[in-house]
């Protein structure tokens, strides 16, 4: 797609502005001294609600998700929106029940929670697992698929796009850490939402043929009614991807709880809140944004069924709809696409640096960090750890850029295997954290048995019962792993002093603002599913 000089100018202005803003928020305040680990990895534990909410969404929405979900809208229809709408409900649970425990116990990483709840072995095991997953699967896929999107839309050489995206994401956050990411994400999300709304408005306007957006919506819904069902019936060609009620009461909950509640690069924003109330307000903000996401991501793909029938691949839907944009707006929406790539890449880089530095490197050196125990931290150690985090971030993106092509580009099937294999851990991770949060009898042996059982049972079910939908398989494995973890915990002794997580005095009561917002989200979800069941 040829880019007009005006479009290129819009993109350059965006890049300069977001980079400059990141450096401005990263500056050291006068008299504050060098950055500590709390400053760098937890944004000084002072993030406001709007930054938390926006950053949760910016970390979640990347270019491949925009292109991929729009493509799913083209192929499947509105049912794919369950991933977004059920995430909104999951966020309410995270804010109501998980965050009070995490913040009461001053948790800063998920591996740290596992150590304080179960023991040191599982902290190291899961820290190494998450680092490998984040670098070799998540980070490589974000920048590789992001570079494909940039290449398709702008015609830039993919290698240049790959290196450019990785370098920009690294440089704009390396000075300020999480603060640079979170406090600029409000701009990234605003641009993302604005760009998506522009495409949705123009596609519906084109369908309306001069009669307006609502006429376009009416035509779309009347022309392809099979694309406007949230719950797929058995026999639907896409039932294996979205198996009926499993999106409401089955395996989707397992994936959502693991992703939104126990995933470092997501939950880290809420852990950096200045207090619980602020974190919960950010969660509500993010939940409302998730309700909006299908309008700006899925709807253009559904509209492409009428506006661009017969596409060779569904994933071409979003780039094809971008061709409807006039000069200037194309640059703005393309900048929104880049914003999604940069925000999610920077978030992942920062979380990799956080886990490596605080859960592995600091433990290896045997130093106390300001993030974990401010009173015992040494200033020289703090500066050294921040430097180590910056080096880890740099090394991570270099590895991702170098391995993206062989891992993702050269062997798509191999990459899909890696993706599915890491998904084998999801039921076990959910079991480990849920028991750790809400059942004091759970011990390290039970937790490790759940992790192992999750992988083994997922593999066995995939080989023996290959027709079982992925979500249903996660549900079965979750129940089996949960049962095993409970049995093992009951028959093995609990090590004295292993559990230092306090839950007895945790207050789960929430402010009126959270309750009103949560009630509104739930009512909107009921209305959405009732309308398009």
């Amino acid at each position: 797609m040829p880019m007009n000089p005006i479009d290129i100018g819009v993109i350059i202005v965006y890049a300069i502005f977001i980079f400059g803003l990141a450096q401005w928020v990263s500056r050291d305040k006068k008299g504050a001294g060098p950055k500590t680990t709390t400053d760098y990895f937890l944004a000084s534990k002072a993030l406001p609600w709007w930054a938390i909410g926006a950053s949760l969404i910016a970390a979640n929405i990347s270019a491949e998700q925009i292109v991929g979900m729009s493509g799913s809208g083209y192929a499947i229809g509105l049912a794919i929106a369950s991933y977004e709408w059920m995430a909104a409900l999951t966020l309410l649970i995270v804010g109501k029940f998980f965050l009070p425990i995490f913040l009461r116990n001053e948790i800063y990483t998920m591996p740290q929670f596992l150590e304080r709840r179960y023991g040191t072995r599982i902290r190291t095991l899961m820290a190494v697992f998450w680092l490998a997953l984040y670098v070799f699967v998540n980070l490589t896929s974000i920048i590789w698929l992001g570079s494909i999107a940039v290449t398709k839309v702008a015609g830039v050489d993919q290698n240049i796009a790959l290196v450019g995206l990785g370098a920009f994401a690294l440089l704009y956050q390396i000075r300020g850490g999480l603060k640079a990411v979170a406090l600029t994400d409000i701009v990234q999300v605003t641009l993302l939402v604005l760009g998506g709304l522009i495409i949705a408005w123009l596609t519906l306007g084109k369908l309306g043929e001069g009669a307006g957006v609502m006429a376009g919506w009416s035509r779309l819904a009347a022309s392809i009614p099979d694309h406007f069902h949230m719950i797929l019936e058995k026999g639907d060609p896409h039932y294996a991807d979205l198996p009926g009620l499993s999106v409401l009461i089955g395996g989707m909950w397992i994936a959502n709880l693991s992703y939104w509640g126990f995933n470092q690069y997501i939950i880290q924003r809420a852990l950096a809140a200045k207090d619980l109330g602020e974190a919960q307000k950010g969660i509500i903000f993010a939940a409302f944004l998730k309700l909006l996401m299908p309008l700006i991501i899925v709807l253009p793909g559904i509209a492409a069924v009428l506006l661009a029938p017969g596409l060779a691949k569904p994933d071409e839907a979003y780039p094809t709809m971008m061709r409807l944009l006039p000069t200037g707006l194309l640059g703005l929406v393309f900048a929104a696409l880049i914003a999604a790539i940069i925000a999610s890449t920077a978030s992942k880089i920062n979380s990799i640096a956080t886990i490596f530095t605080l859960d592995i490197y600091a433990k290896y050196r045997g130093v106390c960090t300001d993030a974990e125990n401010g009173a015992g931290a040494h200033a020289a150690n703090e500066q050294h750890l921040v430097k180590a985090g910056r080096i880890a971030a740099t090394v991570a993106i270099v590895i991702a850029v170098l391995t993206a092509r062989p891992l993702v580009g050269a062997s798509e099937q191999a990459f899909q295997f890696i993706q599915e294999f890491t998904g084998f851990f999801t039921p076990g991770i959910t079991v480990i954290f849920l028991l750790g949060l809400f059942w004091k009898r759970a011990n390290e042996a039970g937790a490790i048995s759940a992790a192992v059982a999750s992988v083994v049972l997922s593999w066995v079910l995939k080989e023996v019962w290959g027709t079982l939908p992925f979500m249903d398989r996660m549900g079965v494995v979750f129940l089996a792993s949960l049962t095993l973890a409970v049995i093992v915990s009951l028959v093995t002794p609990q090590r004295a002093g292993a559990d230092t997580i306090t839950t007895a005095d945790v207050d789960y009561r929430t402010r009126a603002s959270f309750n009103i917002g949560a009630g509104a989200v739930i009512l909107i979800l009921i209305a959405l599913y009732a309308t398009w069941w």
Side-chain angles (χ1 to χ4, degrees):
M1 186 185 302
M3 299 288 283
N4 187 283
I6 295 176
D7 296 318
I8 295 173
V10 170
I11 296 166
I12 291 173
V13 168
Y14 152 74
I16 293 173
F17 174 75
I18 202 67
F19 188 86
L21 179 62
Q23 303 317 302
W24 184 76
V25 302
S26 299
R27 72 195 188 284
D28 293 325
K29 292 184 179 179
K30 190 174 181 180
K35 286 182 173 62
T36 65
T37 51
T38 299
D39 296 330
Y40 193 76
F41 298 113
L42 290 175
S44 306
K45 286 192 72 68
L47 286 185
W49 65 269
W50 51 266
I52 294 166
S55 196
L56 283 167
I57 300 304
N60 168 236
I61 301 294
S62 53
E64 78 271 14
Q65 185 168 351
I66 294 175
V67 174
M69 287 198 72
S70 185
S72 294
Y74 184 90
I76 301 173
L78 193 60
I80 197 66
S82 281
Y83 277 102
E84 301 300 308
W85 289 341
M86 292 306 293
L89 192 56
T90 306
L91 280 165
L92 302 183
I93 293 173
V94 172
K96 175 75 173 177
F97 298 107
F98 298 175
L99 283 182
I101 298 176
F102 289 149
L103 293 179
R104 163 63 182 83
N105 289 276
E106 300 182 334
I107 299 300
Y108 54 85
T109 72
M110 293 297 96
Q112 178 219 6
F113 171 82
L114 294 178
E115 179 184 45
R116 288 191 53 190
R117 178 60 185 82
Y118 293 115
T120 56
R121 288 181 300 173
I122 197 165
R123 177 181 189 166
T124 303
L125 174 68
M126 295 308 298
V128 171
F129 164 74
W130 272 314
L131 282 178
L133 173 66
Y134 287 175
V135 174
F136 294 105
V137 177
N138 298 147
L139 195 54
T140 53
S141 66
I142 290 171
I143 61 172
W144 177 261
L145 298 175
S147 70
I148 290 176
V150 170
T151 300
K152 283 183 177 180
V153 174
V156 178
D157 179 83
Q158 190 176 353
N159 289 326
I160 294 175
L162 183 70
V163 174
L165 290 172
F168 189 86
L170 172 70
L171 293 174
Y172 107 94
Q173 61 85 52
I174 196 168
R175 180 184 174 196
L178 182 60
K179 182 182 290 186
V181 176
L183 294 183
T184 56
D185 276 345
I186 189 67
V187 177
Q188 309 276 44
V189 167
T190 300
L191 192 57
L192 173 63
V193 171
L194 180 61
L197 289 175
I198 288 171
I199 287 191
W201 182 272
L202 289 177
T203 53
L204 290 177
K206 191 169 183 65
L207 286 170
E209 297 178 331
V213 170
M214 293 310 298
W217 170 260
S218 299
R219 179 190 169 195
L220 185 63
S223 299
I224 46 173
D226 58 309
H227 273 57
F228 286 89
H229 291 293
M230 292 302 302
I231 306 299
L232 302 183
E233 301 287 341
K234 281 189 176 180
D236 188 285
H238 301 286
Y239 183 82
D241 299 314
L242 295 164
L245 290 175
S246 287
V247 301
L248 295 181
I249 57 175
M252 184 174 281
W253 278 105
I254 311 304
N256 276 349
L257 288 172
S258 176
Y259 182 85
W260 292 102
F262 315 130
N263 183 355
Q264 179 67 29
Y265 95 105
I266 294 294
I267 199 69
Q268 187 171 341
R269 284 107 186 88
L271 301 180
K274 59 184 180 182
D275 57 48
L276 177 59
E278 202 74 4
Q280 290 172 330
K281 284 194 289 186
I283 288 287
I284 289 292
F285 181 35
F288 277 107
L289 288 174
K290 291 305 283 183
L291 295 178
L292 185 63
M293 286 299 114
L295 175 62
I296 67 177
I297 296 176
V298 179
L299 182 59
I302 299 175
V305 176
L306 297 184
L307 293 175
L311 290 177
K313 294 181 179 179
D315 284 356
E316 294 175 2
Y318 197 84
T320 301
M321 292 301 95
M322 288 184 68
R323 296 191 183 106
L324 300 176
L325 297 169
T327 298
L329 285 182
L330 175 59
L332 182 65
V333 173
F334 184 64
L337 193 66
I338 294 176
I341 302 168
I342 296 300
S344 55
T345 303
S347 296
K348 189 67 71 176
I349 292 171
N350 181 259
S351 292
I352 290 168
T354 302
I355 290 178
F356 173 81
T357 306
L358 301 183
D359 291 307
I360 294 180
Y361 188 71
K363 289 295 177 183
Y364 172 75
R365 286 177 57 89
V367 298
C368 180
T369 68
D370 180 70
E372 188 166 9
N373 182 5
H378 190 279
N381 285 335
E382 288 294 293
Q383 294 175 47
H384 178 78
L385 291 175
V386 169
K387 182 179 179 181
R390 289 172 172 152
I391 294 172
T394 305
V395 171
I397 195 63
V398 169
I399 291 174
V401 168
L402 293 176
T403 59
R405 185 177 293 276
L407 280 179
V408 192
S411 182
E412 185 177 346
Q413 287 185 338
F415 184 72
Q416 288 173 346
F417 169 80
I418 295 171
Q419 287 267 39
E420 187 160 16
F421 180 77
T422 54
F424 290 172
F425 285 86
T426 299
I429 289 173
T430 307
V431 167
I432 290 169
F433 277 94
L434 288 179
L435 291 182
L437 287 166
F438 303 114
W439 190 46
K440 282 296 185 180
R441 186 63 183 83
N443 60 22
E444 190 173 29
I448 292 175
S449 68
V452 174
S454 179
V455 176
V456 174
L457 289 174
S458 295
W459 177 262
V460 170
L461 283 177
K462 183 177 184 298
E463 295 298 314
V464 174
W465 195 357
T467 58
L468 183 66
F470 176 69
M471 280 189 196
D472 291 342
R473 188 176 75 211
M474 279 203 299
V476 171
V477 173
F478 170 78
L479 292 175
S481 300
L482 176 63
T483 302
L484 180 62
V486 169
I487 293 172
V488 172
S489 293
L490 290 174
V491 300
T492 56
Q494 196 164 19
R495 195 166 70 250
D499 181 5
T500 61
I501 295 294
T502 299
T503 58
D505 61 348
V506 171
D507 189 354
Y508 295 102
R509 290 176 298 178
T510 45
R511 298 176 182 176
S513 58
F514 182 91
N515 297 334
I516 293 170
V521 169
I522 292 170
L523 289 175
I524 292 170
L525 285 172
I526 291 172
L528 290 170
Y529 276 91
T531 302
W532 289 298
W533 185 272

